[in-house]
Amino acid sequence: VFTGVIFVVVESVLLAFIVRYRRGRRARTAEGPQIHGSSRLEVAWTIGPVVILGVIATVIFFKLPGIANAPAASASNQTTITVEGRQFYWMFHYPNGAISMGTMVAPAGEVVHENIVSADDDVNHSWWVPELGGKMDAIPGQTNTTWFQAPVGSYVARCAELCGIQHAHMTATVKVVPRAQYEQFIDTRKAEATSIAVGKEEYDEVCASCHRLDTNYVGPALGKNPLLQSEKDLVTILRQGTGDMPAVASDWTDDQITALVAYTKTLKGTHDQ
């Protein structure tokens, strides 16, 4: 509304001046009428914008605490999830120690506090779920906090900070479900931390962002690479990186590594994946 009104006023005055003070039939060499400034007008167009900006600032400072600060909630109606940005995937840590990648599961209608971080050996990322709030930077060595409260549904998340070659593919999903379903998910995920299903999620979200089985992609094809069948070699490259490949799992838990190794041993490299 403010910008629309200002645009109309400014452009209308501009057009009026163009018509009113046009050269018309006056010779090009003839000097136009000398118009001296109006103190009243100058004071008005100085005070006017100050008043407008003051109103905007007042509204912002009045509303900002309600946006930045999470509403009060009982312990049973809130939870905290750590969002960790890595090259090039999102990892989510839940209160009971459960971990997921690519998809955050959160309780509906409750205050969800988010601790936004990036691994110490990683780069800057930016967590952004457009439907749930603004962008929040994930910076190595620093924890930023935000929150949301949402109804049941799926919401697209993305990295809003250029973080490397696969930045554009660094997306995720926030899946908001009823409280009972959320608790069932984190309990099951904790109990099955070393399962092949978890390993497949890790492979799909982490390894497959740069590799395919039978064709070269950002990185070399993995299908016929003995690395997939050697737990020792796989752990070394995951935790330490090599060449252009970052240490994508430098601080993964042993359970996470076990799950990924269990899944990679099922890959035969017979089709592109």
Side-chain angles (χ1 to χ4, degrees), residues 27-100:
R28 288 181 177 273
T29 56
E31 191 170 349
Q34 301 302 299
I35 302 171
H36 297 282
S38 168
S39 298
R40 290 183 180 179
L41 280 176
E42 292 172 359
V43 170
W45 67 49
T46 300
I47 293 178
V50 170
V51 172
I52 291 173
L53 293 175
V55 171
I56 294 174
T58 300
V59 172
I60 288 175
F61 284 112
F62 178 76
K63 290 289 187 180
L64 189 59
I67 297 173
N69 302 327
S74 64
S76 60
N77 288 320
Q78 60 181 320
T79 192
T80 299
I81 299 174
T82 296
V83 179
E84 184 177 1
R86 306 292 294 259
Q87 288 183 307
F88 299 98
Y89 63 95
W90 293 104
M91 183 159 58
F92 307 102
H93 303 261
Y94 301 91
N96 69 339
I99 296 172
S100 68

Side-chain angles (χ1 to χ4, degrees), residues 78-81 92-100 103-107 175 177-193 198:
Q78 60 181 320
T79 192
T80 299
I81 299 174
F92 307 102
H93 303 261
Y94 301 91
N96 69 339
I99 296 172
S100 68
T103 298
M104 174 203 287
V105 178
K175 187 177 181 181
V177 299
R179 180 76 190 194
Q181 187 174 338
Y182 163 73
E183 292 181 348
Q184 181 182 18
F185 168 79
I186 62 175
D187 289 344
T188 300
R189 177 53 62 102
K190 179 68 173 177
E192 300 177 354
V198 172

Side-chain angles (χ1 to χ4, degrees), residues 2-268:
F2 279 126
T3 56
V5 171
I6 291 171
F7 175 81
V8 171
V9 171
V10 171
E11 295 304 315
S12 297
V13 174
L14 175 62
L15 291 174
F17 271 60
I18 290 174
V19 174
R20 175 66 178 82
Y21 299 105
R22 68 191 186 280
R23 180 171 62 89
R25 297 178 181 276
R26 190 176 67 249
R28 288 181 177 273
T29 56
E31 191 170 349
Q34 301 302 299
I35 302 171
H36 297 282
S38 168
S39 298
R40 290 183 180 179
L41 280 176
E42 292 172 359
V43 170
W45 67 49
T46 300
I47 293 178
V50 170
V51 172
I52 291 173
L53 293 175
V55 171
I56 294 174
T58 300
V59 172
I60 288 175
F61 284 112
F62 178 76
K63 290 289 187 180
L64 189 59
I67 297 173
N69 302 327
S74 64
S76 60
N77 288 320
Q78 60 181 320
T79 192
T80 299
I81 299 174
T82 296
V83 179
E84 184 177 1
R86 306 292 294 259
Q87 288 183 307
F88 299 98
Y89 63 95
W90 293 104
M91 183 159 58
F92 307 102
H93 303 261
Y94 301 91
N96 69 339
I99 296 172
S100 68
M101 293 182 182
T103 298
M104 174 203 287
V105 178
E110 299 182 15
V111 175
V112 179
H113 301 276
E114 296 176 297
N115 294 328
I116 315 298
V117 300
S118 179
D120 290 340
D121 58 349
D122 212 273
V123 299
N124 289 358
H125 301 279
S126 185
W127 174 246
W128 185 31
V129 189
E131 294 180 272
L132 301 182
K135 305 169 185 176
M136 184 61 66
D137 287 344
I139 303 172
Q142 179 176 321
T143 299
N144 290 325
T145 60
T146 186
W147 67 279
F148 69 87
Q149 191 172 20
V152 171
S154 292
Y155 306 88
V156 176
R158 64 187 74 253
C159 180
E161 180 76 20
L162 183 59
C163 58
I165 192 169
Q166 288 297 77
H167 159 74
H169 296 285
M170 191 171 166
T171 59
T173 300
V174 176
K175 187 177 181 181
V176 181
V177 299
R179 180 76 190 194
Q181 187 174 338
Y182 163 73
E183 292 181 348
Q184 181 182 18
F185 168 79
I186 62 175
D187 289 344
T188 300
R189 177 53 62 102
K190 179 68 173 177
E192 300 177 354
T194 60
S195 68
I196 290 179
V198 172
K200 183 179 187 306
E201 178 181 279
E202 294 170 348
Y203 182 88
D204 290 344
E205 295 297 330
V206 182
C207 307
S209 66
C210 292
H211 297 277
R212 296 294 183 264
L213 286 180
D214 297 336
T215 59
N216 291 334
Y217 186 42
V218 175
L222 297 179
K224 301 186 184 303
N225 193 323
L227 179 73
L228 292 184
Q229 308 300 319
S230 170
E231 179 174 354
K232 180 180 178 181
D233 293 340
L234 187 59
V235 170
T236 299
I237 195 172
L238 286 171
R239 293 204 182 279
Q240 299 178 13
T242 181
D244 293 331
M245 177 179 167
V248 296
S250 58
D251 57 357
W252 281 17
T253 66
D254 291 339
D255 285 348
Q256 287 179 279
I257 295 292
T258 298
L260 181 60
V261 170
Y263 176 70
T264 59
K265 288 182 176 179
T266 68
L267 299 176
K268 305 300 182 183

